[in-house]
Amino acid sequence: YEAGAVPDDQRAALAADSRRYGAADGENDFALLTDGLEAERERNITIDVAYRYFSTARRDFVIADTPGHAQYTANMATGASQCEVAILVVDAVRGVQPQTLRHAAILSILGIRHVVLAVNKMDAVAFSQARMLEVVEGFAPAAQHLKLDLAVIPVSARHGENIVTTSGAMPWYRGPALLEHLETLEIARSDPGSGLRLLVQDVRRTADGQRLYLGTVASGGLACGDAVRVAVGGAEARVQRLIGAGGPVARAGAGEAVAITLTRE
């Protein structure tokens, strides 16, 4: 919104929806930009994954807004499966929760290494540096164990502090605002010579009853006859058929969406 990426008609709709759903003090409720389901708006939680697109002078972005609630953890994993950077939001008042650690573990399993720990609601703790450090201390062991490339940014999302521009309310923070960090972050690209990582997003049946695994190659490559191993559990098989967007292919590399059948289920 502050980056000028919300069209005028959507700004007007946001203002009207904010009044309808009782936003605090007559402010815009920016969650309504991504929480489009009626159930999400009535319960004030995120349930499904919502995608928003915007650009700045430096970079194009696709935001996948995913739920934090434990009941919808599977939806969080679905949204994260296509991302290069994760923004892990932690309430400065409540601190690190079991769900925070669960999300961090999912990010690690999906191979997402760039993580921003956004310590939110800093206005509710009087912009206390000591409180932010307590939150970071609670998350640090998990970040180290999971080998996350972690950046910590204290923010107040409701008031826009450290979101687009650096906040004057936290003079002790010397780092970039969230948007600046995302604009300048160097994404570690997959090494073409690295091992295969295929994120399975769906499983279907072929006409002859075989399981068909659909997903996007995140790193490495695969070809018919290649041996593959399930990351969790260790089951092994060989690629029997490999199907790309246009039909059967001999090989697929990083970034390609494929469907495969295996020699064993």
Side-chain angles (χ1 to χ4, degrees):
Y1 187 96
E2 290 185 353
V6 179
D8 290 343
D9 59 335
Q10 292 182 27
R11 284 174 176 256
L14 173 64
D17 288 342
S18 296
R19 290 192 297 270
R20 176 183 175 189
Y21 291 99
D25 303 325
E27 300 174 352
N28 284 328
D29 182 355
F30 294 110
L32 297 174
L33 286 172
T34 52
D35 291 342
L37 297 179
E38 194 68 24
E40 293 179 315
R41 297 182 170 199
E42 290 176 353
R43 297 170 60 188
N44 198 28
I45 61 172
T46 301
I47 297 174
D48 202 359
V49 182
Y51 297 93
R52 298 287 300 193
Y53 307 83
F54 77 99
S55 299
T56 68
R58 293 178 173 181
R59 185 167 273 173
D60 298 326
F61 295 93
V62 181
I63 299 174
D65 179 46
T66 66
H69 196 284
Q71 183 178 349
Y72 305 108
T73 300
N75 290 356
M76 175 269 168
T78 298
S81 69
Q82 295 299 297
C83 294
E84 296 172 309
V85 182
I87 303 172
L88 199 56
V89 184
V90 177
D91 185 329
V93 177
R94 299 176 62 201
V96 174
Q97 300 292 303
Q99 188 69 348
T100 311
L101 303 178
R102 190 175 290 115
H103 283 180
I106 291 171
L107 297 176
S108 177
I109 290 171
L110 294 174
I112 300 173
R113 291 289 172 264
H114 299 290
V115 176
V116 179
L117 186 69
V119 184
N120 191 27
K121 301 185 181 180
M122 289 299 296
D123 55 301
V125 295
F127 300 102
S128 168
Q129 181 181 17
R131 179 54 187 158
M132 188 209 72
L133 292 176
E134 288 176 358
V135 174
V136 174
E137 185 178 354
F139 185 72
Q144 184 176 5
H145 174 71
L146 297 170
K147 297 181 174 60
L148 302 178
D149 181 0
L150 187 68
V152 179
I153 303 179
V155 302
S156 171
R158 178 180 175 185
H159 300 289
E161 304 286 355
N162 270 350
I163 301 297
V164 173
T165 57
T166 304
S167 170
M170 292 172 277
W172 44 265
Y173 173 71
R174 304 294 185 182
L178 177 61
L179 182 59
E180 181 184 355
H181 175 76
L182 296 176
E183 286 181 316
T184 57
L185 180 63
E186 290 294 330
I187 305 298
R189 300 296 176 184
S190 173
D191 180 0
S194 64
L196 168 70
R197 194 168 80 248
L198 172 67
L199 308 175
V200 177
Q201 295 168 287
D202 196 7
V203 180
R204 300 180 186 175
R205 290 281 183 180
T206 64
D208 55 3
Q210 276 190 302
R211 280 201 181 105
L212 193 65
Y213 302 92
L214 296 83
T216 301
V217 180
S219 68
L222 80 165
C224 289
D226 280 355
V228 295
R229 182 171 61 246
V230 179
V232 179
E236 297 184 359
R238 288 189 177 274
V239 178
Q240 187 176 55
R241 283 188 285 173
L242 182 60
I243 305 166
V249 294
R251 183 170 181 80
E256 294 184 60
V258 295
I260 64 173
T261 61
L262 299 176
T263 53
R264 54 176 292 225
E265 294 194 347

PDB file of all heavy atoms in Angstrom, residues 144-170:
ATOM      1  N   GLN A 144      19.950 -21.543  14.194  1.00  0.00           N
ATOM      2  CA  GLN A 144      21.280 -22.151  14.082  1.00  0.00           C
ATOM      3  C   GLN A 144      21.171 -23.635  13.734  1.00  0.00           C
ATOM      4  O   GLN A 144      21.902 -24.134  12.871  1.00  0.00           O
ATOM      5  CB  GLN A 144      22.038 -21.958  15.394  1.00  0.00           C
ATOM      6  CG  GLN A 144      23.474 -22.474  15.356  1.00  0.00           C
ATOM      7  CD  GLN A 144      24.227 -22.173  16.637  1.00  0.00           C
ATOM      8  OE1 GLN A 144      23.664 -21.664  17.602  1.00  0.00           O
ATOM      9  NE2 GLN A 144      25.516 -22.473  16.661  1.00  0.00           N
ATOM     10  N   HIS A 145      20.271 -24.323  14.397  1.00  0.00           N
ATOM     11  CA  HIS A 145      20.104 -25.757  14.148  1.00  0.00           C
ATOM     12  C   HIS A 145      19.649 -26.022  12.716  1.00  0.00           C
ATOM     13  O   HIS A 145      20.101 -26.986  12.075  1.00  0.00           O
ATOM     14  CB  HIS A 145      19.091 -26.334  15.133  1.00  0.00           C
ATOM     15  CG  HIS A 145      18.750 -27.768  14.873  1.00  0.00           C
ATOM     16  ND1 HIS A 145      19.636 -28.810  15.103  1.00  0.00           N
ATOM     17  CD2 HIS A 145      17.613 -28.343  14.375  1.00  0.00           C
ATOM     18  CE1 HIS A 145      19.060 -29.951  14.765  1.00  0.00           C
ATOM     19  NE2 HIS A 145      17.837 -29.697  14.329  1.00  0.00           N
ATOM     20  N   LEU A 146      18.764 -25.166  12.194  1.00  0.00           N
ATOM     21  CA  LEU A 146      18.205 -25.355  10.850  1.00  0.00           C
ATOM     22  C   LEU A 146      19.052 -24.702   9.761  1.00  0.00           C
ATOM     23  O   LEU A 146      18.712 -24.775   8.587  1.00  0.00           O
ATOM     24  CB  LEU A 146      16.779 -24.785  10.804  1.00  0.00           C
ATOM     25  CG  LEU A 146      15.769 -25.468  11.738  1.00  0.00           C
ATOM     26  CD1 LEU A 146      14.468 -24.680  11.787  1.00  0.00           C
ATOM     27  CD2 LEU A 146      15.506 -26.904  11.298  1.00  0.00           C
ATOM     28  N   LYS A 147      20.137 -24.019  10.177  1.00  0.00           N
ATOM     29  CA  LYS A 147      21.074 -23.376   9.244  1.00  0.00           C
ATOM     30  C   LYS A 147      20.363 -22.338   8.363  1.00  0.00           C
ATOM     31  O   LYS A 147      20.543 -22.300   7.145  1.00  0.00           O
ATOM     32  CB  LYS A 147      21.787 -24.421   8.387  1.00  0.00           C
ATOM     33  CG  LYS A 147      22.663 -25.379   9.185  1.00  0.00           C
ATOM     34  CD  LYS A 147      23.360 -26.386   8.266  1.00  0.00           C
ATOM     35  CE  LYS A 147      24.356 -27.246   9.043  1.00  0.00           C
ATOM     36  NZ  LYS A 147      23.744 -28.020  10.129  1.00  0.00           N
ATOM     37  N   LEU A 148      19.557 -21.495   9.003  1.00  0.00           N
ATOM     38  CA  LEU A 148      18.839 -20.452   8.279  1.00  0.00           C
ATOM     39  C   LEU A 148      19.717 -19.215   8.126  1.00  0.00           C
ATOM     40  O   LEU A 148      20.463 -18.845   9.036  1.00  0.00           O
ATOM     41  CB  LEU A 148      17.553 -20.075   9.023  1.00  0.00           C
ATOM     42  CG  LEU A 148      16.553 -21.204   9.280  1.00  0.00           C
ATOM     43  CD1 LEU A 148      15.364 -20.689  10.065  1.00  0.00           C
ATOM     44  CD2 LEU A 148      16.094 -21.831   7.968  1.00  0.00           C
ATOM     45  N   ASP A 149      19.625 -18.574   6.974  1.00  0.00           N
ATOM     46  CA  ASP A 149      20.281 -17.280   6.753  1.00  0.00           C
ATOM     47  C   ASP A 149      19.305 -16.222   7.270  1.00  0.00           C
ATOM     48  O   ASP A 149      18.391 -15.804   6.558  1.00  0.00           O
ATOM     49  CB  ASP A 149      20.562 -17.095   5.262  1.00  0.00           C
ATOM     50  CG  ASP A 149      21.256 -15.775   4.953  1.00  0.00           C
ATOM     51  OD1 ASP A 149      21.529 -15.005   5.894  1.00  0.00           O
ATOM     52  OD2 ASP A 149      21.498 -15.496   3.768  1.00  0.00           O
ATOM     53  N   LEU A 150      19.504 -15.788   8.512  1.00  0.00           N
ATOM     54  CA  LEU A 150      18.496 -15.015   9.229  1.00  0.00           C
ATOM     55  C   LEU A 150      18.811 -13.523   9.256  1.00  0.00           C
ATOM     56  O   LEU A 150      19.927 -13.109   9.537  1.00  0.00           O
ATOM     57  CB  LEU A 150      18.386 -15.531  10.667  1.00  0.00           C
ATOM     58  CG  LEU A 150      17.257 -14.957  11.522  1.00  0.00           C
ATOM     59  CD1 LEU A 150      15.903 -15.426  10.992  1.00  0.00           C
ATOM     60  CD2 LEU A 150      17.435 -15.379  12.976  1.00  0.00           C
ATOM     61  N   ALA A 151      17.779 -12.718   8.956  1.00  0.00           N
ATOM     62  CA  ALA A 151      17.825 -11.273   9.153  1.00  0.00           C
ATOM     63  C   ALA A 151      16.705 -10.914  10.123  1.00  0.00           C
ATOM     64  O   ALA A 151      15.601 -11.437  10.015  1.00  0.00           O
ATOM     65  CB  ALA A 151      17.630 -10.535   7.831  1.00  0.00           C
ATOM     66  N   VAL A 152      16.991 -10.049  11.082  1.00  0.00           N
ATOM     67  CA  VAL A 152      16.002  -9.649  12.084  1.00  0.00           C
ATOM     68  C   VAL A 152      15.623  -8.191  11.873  1.00  0.00           C
ATOM     69  O   VAL A 152      16.498  -7.323  11.819  1.00  0.00           O
ATOM     70  CB  VAL A 152      16.553  -9.846  13.514  1.00  0.00           C
ATOM     71  CG1 VAL A 152      15.512  -9.402  14.536  1.00  0.00           C
ATOM     72  CG2 VAL A 152      16.954 -11.288  13.743  1.00  0.00           C
ATOM     73  N   ILE A 153      14.320  -7.936  11.726  1.00  0.00           N
ATOM     74  CA  ILE A 153      13.842  -6.568  11.527  1.00  0.00           C
ATOM     75  C   ILE A 153      12.681  -6.310  12.484  1.00  0.00           C
ATOM     76  O   ILE A 153      11.649  -6.976  12.400  1.00  0.00           O
ATOM     77  CB  ILE A 153      13.383  -6.330  10.068  1.00  0.00           C
ATOM     78  CG1 ILE A 153      14.526  -6.644   9.099  1.00  0.00           C
ATOM     79  CG2 ILE A 153      12.908  -4.895   9.879  1.00  0.00           C
ATOM     80  CD1 ILE A 153      14.163  -6.471   7.641  1.00  0.00           C
ATOM     81  N   PRO A 154      12.834  -5.349  13.416  1.00  0.00           N
ATOM     82  CA  PRO A 154      11.721  -4.993  14.300  1.00  0.00           C
ATOM     83  C   PRO A 154      10.747  -4.085  13.563  1.00  0.00           C
ATOM     84  O   PRO A 154      11.160  -3.106  12.936  1.00  0.00           O
ATOM     85  CB  PRO A 154      12.424  -4.257  15.452  1.00  0.00           C
ATOM     86  CG  PRO A 154      13.640  -3.654  14.821  1.00  0.00           C
ATOM     87  CD  PRO A 154      14.059  -4.582  13.722  1.00  0.00           C
ATOM     88  N   VAL A 155       9.449  -4.412  13.619  1.00  0.00           N
ATOM     89  CA  VAL A 155       8.466  -3.642  12.858  1.00  0.00           C
ATOM     90  C   VAL A 155       7.199  -3.410  13.679  1.00  0.00           C
ATOM     91  O   VAL A 155       6.960  -4.084  14.683  1.00  0.00           O
ATOM     92  CB  VAL A 155       8.071  -4.356  11.538  1.00  0.00           C
ATOM     93  CG1 VAL A 155       9.285  -4.613  10.671  1.00  0.00           C
ATOM     94  CG2 VAL A 155       7.344  -5.660  11.818  1.00  0.00           C
ATOM     95  N   SER A 156       6.434  -2.435  13.228  1.00  0.00           N
ATOM     96  CA  SER A 156       5.052  -2.279  13.677  1.00  0.00           C
ATOM     97  C   SER A 156       4.217  -2.205  12.415  1.00  0.00           C
ATOM     98  O   SER A 156       4.141  -1.158  11.769  1.00  0.00           O
ATOM     99  CB  SER A 156       4.879  -1.000  14.509  1.00  0.00           C
ATOM    100  OG  SER A 156       3.496  -0.761  14.747  1.00  0.00           O
ATOM    101  N   ALA A 157       3.648  -3.343  12.029  1.00  0.00           N
ATOM    102  CA  ALA A 157       2.939  -3.416  10.755  1.00  0.00           C
ATOM    103  C   ALA A 157       1.744  -2.459  10.720  1.00  0.00           C
ATOM    104  O   ALA A 157       1.484  -1.801   9.711  1.00  0.00           O
ATOM    105  CB  ALA A 157       2.482  -4.846  10.502  1.00  0.00           C
ATOM    106  N   ARG A 158       1.037  -2.374  11.825  1.00  0.00           N
ATOM    107  CA  ARG A 158      -0.164  -1.528  11.873  1.00  0.00           C
ATOM    108  C   ARG A 158       0.167  -0.066  11.593  1.00  0.00           C
ATOM    109  O   ARG A 158      -0.586   0.635  10.921  1.00  0.00           O
ATOM    110  CB  ARG A 158      -0.827  -1.666  13.241  1.00  0.00           C
ATOM    111  CG  ARG A 158      -2.055  -0.791  13.414  1.00  0.00           C
ATOM    112  CD  ARG A 158      -2.664  -0.973  14.790  1.00  0.00           C
ATOM    113  NE  ARG A 158      -3.775  -0.059  15.009  1.00  0.00           N
ATOM    114  CZ  ARG A 158      -4.415   0.064  16.162  1.00  0.00           C
ATOM    115  NH1 ARG A 158      -4.060  -0.680  17.202  1.00  0.00           N
ATOM    116  NH2 ARG A 158      -5.407   0.924  16.284  1.00  0.00           N
ATOM    117  N   HIS A 159       1.302   0.387  12.099  1.00  0.00           N
ATOM    118  CA  HIS A 159       1.676   1.792  11.946  1.00  0.00           C
ATOM    119  C   HIS A 159       2.725   2.015  10.854  1.00  0.00           C
ATOM    120  O   HIS A 159       3.192   3.142  10.661  1.00  0.00           O
ATOM    121  CB  HIS A 159       2.188   2.346  13.277  1.00  0.00           C
ATOM    122  CG  HIS A 159       1.174   2.284  14.384  1.00  0.00           C
ATOM    123  ND1 HIS A 159       0.056   3.096  14.409  1.00  0.00           N
ATOM    124  CD2 HIS A 159       1.088   1.485  15.478  1.00  0.00           C
ATOM    125  CE1 HIS A 159      -0.666   2.810  15.489  1.00  0.00           C
ATOM    126  NE2 HIS A 159      -0.070   1.836  16.149  1.00  0.00           N
ATOM    127  N   GLY A 160       3.130   0.941  10.167  1.00  0.00           N
ATOM    128  CA  GLY A 160       4.066   1.090   9.063  1.00  0.00           C
ATOM    129  C   GLY A 160       5.494   1.373   9.482  1.00  0.00           C
ATOM    130  O   GLY A 160       6.300   1.851   8.679  1.00  0.00           O
ATOM    131  N   GLU A 161       5.853   1.058  10.720  1.00  0.00           N
ATOM    132  CA  GLU A 161       7.209   1.325  11.188  1.00  0.00           C
ATOM    133  C   GLU A 161       8.165   0.248  10.667  1.00  0.00           C
ATOM    134  O   GLU A 161       7.971  -0.941  10.892  1.00  0.00           O
ATOM    135  CB  GLU A 161       7.250   1.334  12.724  1.00  0.00           C
ATOM    136  CG  GLU A 161       6.287   2.307  13.383  1.00  0.00           C
ATOM    137  CD  GLU A 161       6.736   3.763  13.268  1.00  0.00           C
ATOM    138  OE1 GLU A 161       7.853   3.998  12.750  1.00  0.00           O
ATOM    139  OE2 GLU A 161       5.966   4.643  13.683  1.00  0.00           O
ATOM    140  N   ASN A 162       9.200   0.685   9.947  1.00  0.00           N
ATOM    141  CA  ASN A 162      10.233  -0.197   9.375  1.00  0.00           C
ATOM    142  C   ASN A 162       9.686  -1.127   8.300  1.00  0.00           C
ATOM    143  O   ASN A 162      10.244  -2.196   8.060  1.00  0.00           O
ATOM    144  CB  ASN A 162      10.922  -1.036  10.465  1.00  0.00           C
ATOM    145  CG  ASN A 162      12.135  -0.332  11.044  1.00  0.00           C
ATOM    146  OD1 ASN A 162      12.572   0.686  10.522  1.00  0.00           O
ATOM    147  ND2 ASN A 162      12.668  -0.864  12.123  1.00  0.00           N
ATOM    148  N   ILE A 163       8.596  -0.731   7.666  1.00  0.00           N
ATOM    149  CA  ILE A 163       8.050  -1.547   6.578  1.00  0.00           C
ATOM    150  C   ILE A 163       8.604  -1.064   5.229  1.00  0.00           C
ATOM    151  O   ILE A 163       9.294  -1.802   4.535  1.00  0.00           O
ATOM    152  CB  ILE A 163       6.511  -1.515   6.565  1.00  0.00           C
ATOM    153  CG1 ILE A 163       5.960  -2.029   7.895  1.00  0.00           C
ATOM    154  CG2 ILE A 163       5.974  -2.339   5.403  1.00  0.00           C
ATOM    155  CD1 ILE A 163       6.299  -3.484   8.193  1.00  0.00           C
ATOM    156  N   VAL A 164       8.316   0.166   4.870  1.00  0.00           N
ATOM    157  CA  VAL A 164       8.821   0.731   3.618  1.00  0.00           C
ATOM    158  C   VAL A 164       9.987   1.678   3.884  1.00  0.00           C
ATOM    159  O   VAL A 164      10.954   1.724   3.126  1.00  0.00           O
ATOM    160  CB  VAL A 164       7.693   1.456   2.852  1.00  0.00           C
ATOM    161  CG1 VAL A 164       8.237   2.198   1.638  1.00  0.00           C
ATOM    162  CG2 VAL A 164       6.642   0.437   2.405  1.00  0.00           C
ATOM    163  N   THR A 165       9.892   2.444   4.954  1.00  0.00           N
ATOM    164  CA  THR A 165      10.961   3.379   5.321  1.00  0.00           C
ATOM    165  C   THR A 165      11.437   3.080   6.738  1.00  0.00           C
ATOM    166  O   THR A 165      10.686   2.543   7.558  1.00  0.00           O
ATOM    167  CB  THR A 165      10.481   4.835   5.239  1.00  0.00           C
ATOM    168  OG1 THR A 165       9.329   4.995   6.089  1.00  0.00           O
ATOM    169  CG2 THR A 165      10.096   5.191   3.800  1.00  0.00           C
ATOM    170  N   THR A 166      12.679   3.441   7.025  1.00  0.00           N
ATOM    171  CA  THR A 166      13.253   3.197   8.346  1.00  0.00           C
ATOM    172  C   THR A 166      12.520   4.022   9.392  1.00  0.00           C
ATOM    173  O   THR A 166      12.236   5.204   9.199  1.00  0.00           O
ATOM    174  CB  THR A 166      14.748   3.558   8.348  1.00  0.00           C
ATOM    175  OG1 THR A 166      15.406   2.805   7.319  1.00  0.00           O
ATOM    176  CG2 THR A 166      15.387   3.221   9.686  1.00  0.00           C
ATOM    177  N   SER A 167      12.225   3.407  10.507  1.00  0.00           N
ATOM    178  CA  SER A 167      11.432   4.039  11.551  1.00  0.00           C
ATOM    179  C   SER A 167      12.277   4.943  12.446  1.00  0.00           C
ATOM    180  O   SER A 167      13.374   4.573  12.858  1.00  0.00           O
ATOM    181  CB  SER A 167      10.768   2.957  12.408  1.00  0.00           C
ATOM    182  OG  SER A 167      10.173   3.521  13.554  1.00  0.00           O
ATOM    183  N   GLY A 168      11.713   6.121  12.772  1.00  0.00           N
ATOM    184  CA  GLY A 168      12.355   7.006  13.734  1.00  0.00           C
ATOM    185  C   GLY A 168      12.039   6.634  15.160  1.00  0.00           C
ATOM    186  O   GLY A 168      12.642   7.157  16.107  1.00  0.00           O
ATOM    187  N   ALA A 169      11.085   5.700  15.341  1.00  0.00           N
ATOM    188  CA  ALA A 169      10.690   5.297  16.685  1.00  0.00           C
ATOM    189  C   ALA A 169      11.673   4.313  17.305  1.00  0.00           C
ATOM    190  O   ALA A 169      11.605   4.044  18.505  1.00  0.00           O
ATOM    191  CB  ALA A 169       9.298   4.669  16.647  1.00  0.00           C
ATOM    192  N   MET A 170      12.553   3.751  16.487  1.00  0.00           N
ATOM    193  CA  MET A 170      13.541   2.784  16.987  1.00  0.00           C
ATOM    194  C   MET A 170      14.945   3.206  16.553  1.00  0.00           C
ATOM    195  O   MET A 170      15.568   2.557  15.696  1.00  0.00           O
ATOM    196  CB  MET A 170      13.199   1.378  16.477  1.00  0.00           C
ATOM    197  CG  MET A 170      11.922   0.805  17.068  1.00  0.00           C
ATOM    198  SD  MET A 170      11.385  -0.755  16.319  1.00  0.00           S
ATOM    199  CE  MET A 170      10.507  -0.141  14.866  1.00  0.00           C
TER     200      MET A 170
END
